[in-house]
Amino acid sequence: MKYLSILLTLFIFASCSSDDDSVSDNNTQGPNANIETTIPGDYVITTFTVDGEDRSNNYNGFTFTYDGDGNVTAQNDILAEVGTWTYTTTTTDGELVENLELFFNNQEPFTDLSREWDIDATISTTIRLSGFNSMGDNARDVLVFTRQ
């Protein structure tokens, strides 16, 4: 009986593995890991949909200037709003997800932009971002910045 208990215990420990469904943070992976050198520049919003509604017109005339130190400034002829950006990665179910978190103070219309977005493509002349909408239907909000 003692021998059976030992075998059963060894079997249980041997069959345990790391949790493949885990989520982990890592800032060194992904096609955009060198974002500090690829993101700097001036951009305009060319697409912005929230809950299926096009809100791109709210940002007409604004230029978004990203620097390599995590700062972004939205500016038009009347207003300049300073914000920050942060790049992170997560791994969920073995899949790498790159994130760009934008933060602006509570100045309208920038509150809609302030959140963590998934980076959908390698950053070159566009920054293509998406995130789940608030409707609960698994549709995605979309935000696209295009370099000027």
Side-chain angles (χ1 to χ4, degrees):
M1 184 70 165
K2 184 176 181 180
Y3 178 70
L4 183 60
S5 295
I6 292 172
L7 280 177
L8 184 58
T9 303
L10 288 174
F11 177 76
I12 290 171
F13 282 118
S15 62
C16 292
S17 66
S18 65
D19 186 1
D20 292 336
D21 295 335
S22 65
V23 175
S24 61
D25 291 334
N26 187 340
N27 288 330
T28 60
Q29 299 177 0
N32 292 297
N34 63 342
I35 194 168
E36 292 84 5
T37 60
T38 58
I39 201 171
D42 294 334
Y43 297 82
V44 294
I45 291 179
T46 52
T47 303
F48 185 42
T49 58
V50 176
D51 297 335
E53 175 189 339
D54 183 1
R55 296 189 185 174
S56 303
N57 288 336
N58 294 345
Y59 305 93
N60 284 346
F62 280 97
T63 299
F64 292 79
T65 303
Y66 286 82
D67 71 19
D69 296 322
N71 300 301
V72 57
T73 302
Q75 188 168 350
N76 66 9
D77 294 335
I78 301 168
L79 175 68
E81 180 69 17
V82 177
T84 59
W85 64 266
T86 306
Y87 169 80
T88 59
T89 61
T90 55
T91 304
T92 304
D93 296 331
E95 181 179 328
L96 178 71
V97 178
E98 295 182 288
N99 307 109
L100 184 70
E101 183 173 358
L102 295 174
F103 176 77
F104 289 94
N105 289 324
N106 291 326
Q107 175 74 34
E108 291 294 334
F110 305 102
T111 54
D112 281 344
L113 303 177
S114 294
R115 64 190 260 197
E116 184 176 85
W117 296 89
D118 293 345
I119 301 174
D120 291 338
T122 302
I123 295 171
S124 58
T125 58
T126 61
I127 304 171
R128 183 169 173 74
L129 309 171
S130 68
F132 286 109
N133 70 24
S134 62
M135 310 256 316
D137 58 5
N138 287 331
R140 307 281 286 179
D141 295 338
V142 176
L143 174 59
V144 179
F145 292 92
T146 302
R147 193 182 300 264
Q148 288 189 309

